[in-house]
Amino acid sequence: MMLRLSSLESTAAVPGDGEAAPASLLVHLGMTGNLASRAAHEPHEKHTHVWMLLDDGRELRYTDPRRFGRVAYLAGDAIPAELQRFGADPLLVSAKDFATSIRSRSSRIKALLLDQSVLRGVGNIYADESLWRAKIHPAKAGAGLRVAQTTALRRLLQEILRKAIAMRGSTIADFLDGNGEPGEYQKRHRVYGREGRSCYRCGAMIRRTIVAGRSSYYCPKCQPAPRGCAPLPLPKSPRARKAVAPKTKSGRWKMTRNR
């Protein structure tokens, strides 16, 4: 995320027109990073690495137990130079540009969705969820997708991201939003983290494979695997038992919340 900074008192880095030079903080949360505002008198939590005083007296604090995140101060020409490394905003990219970016590359579609030089900010959870809804296997080559598939994938990805933002993200372990509250979108997950459970759409067992170094969840019936892509062995746990999706009296699969 990009946080734009301003100061009414600073006189540093002022160009000839008297206006303060633009400056920003580029924040990458990594896997365990959290950025939240707190009252200045509250004790700092463990693993708090950065804290900034806000104009209303609160503090903006960055915590990161595993230290995979990054906070960088950028000013002047460094801002556009840094942003050139990133791909399109998934919420703003056009259908044509999205299709071109995906279909011009032979990498696997899941890897492309996670590649920050192709699209910025699509995480592992939302890549899996959008691919499940679009019925595309995560290991399928981007160049092998039809235009109709990329059009549907873009639309579904944007729907999922907007809904996830409105619901403050997904809390799987310890994620909290900027107000210190857990997210709620995990209640709408249809495939992520559901290995060994039944598919909400067809009833087949959800399986897991590795794509781009990340666990990738998919339905082998709804999302047929490309040749040579085998699922990982099921874990020896109660979740690995073959489950049957609940049906309605009409015989159709019942869409229920993940519990």
Side-chain angles (χ1 to χ4, degrees):
M1 70 182 72
M2 181 73 78
L3 304 178
R4 300 194 182 278
L5 306 177
S6 64
S7 174
L8 298 178
E9 299 178 356
S10 175
T11 58
V14 177
D17 57 7
E19 295 293 332
S24 298
L25 286 179
L26 183 66
V27 182
H28 191 300
L29 297 179
M31 296 181 66
T32 60
N34 177 259
L35 193 65
S37 62
R38 295 286 186 270
H41 62 81
E42 291 185 14
H44 293 159
E45 297 180 9
K46 188 177 181 180
H47 306 298
T48 298
H49 304 295
V50 179
W51 51 92
M52 295 163 280
L53 183 64
L54 302 176
D55 57 7
D56 62 359
R58 294 177 300 153
E59 288 183 346
L60 186 64
R61 301 177 183 177
Y62 174 74
T63 59
D64 188 0
R66 301 184 69 179
R67 298 190 180 186
F68 289 155
R70 173 194 177 204
V71 178
Y73 175 84
L74 305 173
D77 294 338
I79 298 175
E82 180 72 17
L83 293 180
Q84 285 180 355
R85 302 191 302 110
F86 298 101
D89 185 323
L91 292 176
L92 300 177
V93 64
S94 68
K96 180 180 179 180
D97 289 344
F98 183 85
T100 300
S101 296
I102 298 301
R103 300 181 69 244
S104 63
R105 292 172 166 88
S106 59
S107 299
R108 296 178 175 184
I109 180 59
K110 171 72 175 286
L112 293 174
L113 292 178
L114 297 180
D115 188 339
Q116 297 297 301
S117 67
V118 178
L119 292 172
R120 64 181 79 167
V122 178
N124 196 44
I125 293 174
Y126 306 116
D128 279 358
E129 291 294 311
S130 60
L131 289 170
W132 179 82
R133 289 189 60 185
K135 300 183 179 181
I136 299 172
H137 192 281
K140 189 172 181 63
L145 298 182
R146 303 185 304 275
V147 172
Q149 289 178 299
T150 60
T151 299
L153 178 59
R154 168 185 168 273
R155 175 178 56 81
L156 294 168
L157 175 61
Q158 291 181 345
E159 288 180 2
I160 288 171
L161 290 177
R162 290 192 176 100
K163 190 64 177 180
I165 291 170
M167 298 181 71
R168 305 190 309 280
S170 299
T171 295
I172 305 300
D174 53 8
F175 169 77
L176 300 175
D177 69 2
N179 294 319
E181 299 292 332
E184 295 185 346
Y185 192 76
Q186 69 276 5
K187 299 175 182 178
R188 292 177 175 264
H189 290 177
R190 288 293 175 257
V191 67
Y192 181 83
R194 302 192 67 249
E195 181 182 18
R197 299 184 183 184
S198 55
C199 174
Y200 279 111
R201 186 162 46 209
C202 73
M205 184 182 294
I206 298 297
R207 301 303 300 268
R208 182 173 66 95
T209 188
I210 301 296
V211 178
R214 306 297 298 275
S215 285
S216 303
Y217 300 88
Y218 68 98
C219 171
K221 184 175 180 180
C222 296
Q223 302 163 269
R227 182 177 300 179
C229 182
L232 295 173
L234 288 169
K236 297 180 180 180
S237 70
R239 288 187 177 186
R241 296 194 303 265
K242 186 173 182 179
V244 178
K247 290 184 177 181
T248 62
K249 293 182 179 180
S250 65
R252 295 182 178 179
W253 297 108
K254 183 180 180 182
M255 299 293 285
T256 60
R257 285 178 177 264
N258 181 16
R259 302 184 187 278

